[in-house]
Structure formats: structure tokens, C-alpha cells
Amino acid sequence: NEEKLAEMAKVEEENKSYRVAILEAKEVTKERDDLMAKLKASEEKVQKMENDISGYQEMLEKRRSLAEEQITVLLENDKTIGSLEGKNAKLQDEVGRLKEQLTKSTHTIESKDTI
């Protein structure tokens, strides 16, 4: 009888150990599941941030391209303005020369008329 009691106590102790191990395994599983959920949330957040960064990079590239185009247009405008200013100066010189020529012609005609 004592042997049976000792054996039952031993079995009961083993069962108690198994129950403790099962509870610990459940706790570890719960912690693992919590960590997996946090990992998934973090991965989703990282993916969203990467998508945002990609969108910002695309916008930045478009802005850079537009800025380069604006610079090109401004430089072309400056060249055109310079060219037009040069042509304007030549035209003003030509107008001045023609006025002088007209004045001389007028004086010549007046002198001939006077004679």
C-alpha cells in the first residue's frame, strides 16, 4: 500500500510538473503571439514609411526637374533679352543716322531752293 501511495504521489508530482510546464508553454506562446503581432504592426509601419519616402522622392525629382527647366528658360530669356537689347541699340543707332541723313538732305534741299 505504501508503495502505491508513493507511486501515486510520484505520479501526482509529475502531473503537477506537466501542468506547470503546460502553463509556462501557454505563457510563452502568448508572449510569442504578442511579439509576432507587434512585429507585423512594425513591418506595416515600415512599409508605409517606405512608401511615403518613395512618394517624397518622386515629388522631389519632379521639383528638381521643374527647377532645371525653369533655369533653362531663364537662361534662354536672358540670352534673348541680351540679343534684343543689342538689336535695339543697333536700331537706335540706325534711326539716329537716318535722322542725321534726313536733316542733311533737308538742308541740302533748302540750300538748293534758296539758290
Side-chain angles (χ1 to χ4, degrees):
N1 239 356
E2 283 184 24
E3 286 178 15
K4 280 189 174 184
L5 283 175
E7 191 176 312
M8 285 176 69
K10 183 180 174 186
V11 169
E12 183 62 32
E13 189 62 34
E14 285 176 355
N15 285 342
K16 186 177 180 183
S17 293
Y18 291 143
R19 284 191 295 271
V20 168
I22 289 171
L23 288 174
E24 288 174 354
K26 284 182 179 180
E27 183 64 30
V28 168
T29 300
K30 183 180 180 288
E31 288 176 8
R32 185 202 68 192
D33 291 345
D34 290 346
L35 289 173
M36 291 299 289
K38 287 179 182 178
L39 177 63
K40 184 178 178 184
S42 293
E43 287 173 343
E44 289 172 355
K45 188 173 185 177
V46 166
Q47 183 63 46
K48 183 187 178 310
M49 293 172 105
E50 286 175 346
N51 291 342
D52 289 346
I53 289 171
S54 178
Y56 295 142
Q57 286 174 331
E58 195 174 306
M59 283 187 343
L60 184 62
E61 181 60 29
K62 284 180 184 175
R63 286 185 178 181
R64 185 189 64 76
S65 176
L66 287 173
E68 287 176 351
E69 288 176 21
Q70 285 179 328
I71 289 170
T72 300
V73 168
L74 289 173
L75 291 174
E76 288 173 3
N77 286 349
D78 281 346
K79 285 181 186 176
T80 303
I81 288 169
S83 173
L84 290 174
E85 286 174 342
K87 287 179 183 178
N88 190 38
K90 286 179 184 177
L91 288 173
Q92 285 179 347
D93 289 345
E94 182 69 15
V95 166
R97 190 183 61 74
L98 289 173
K99 281 183 179 179
E100 283 180 30
Q101 192 176 7
L102 179 64
T103 304
K104 286 180 185 177
S105 294
T106 304
H107 288 317
T108 303
I109 291 172
E110 287 175 354
S111 294
K112 285 182 181 178
D113 286 343
T114 309
I115 297 177

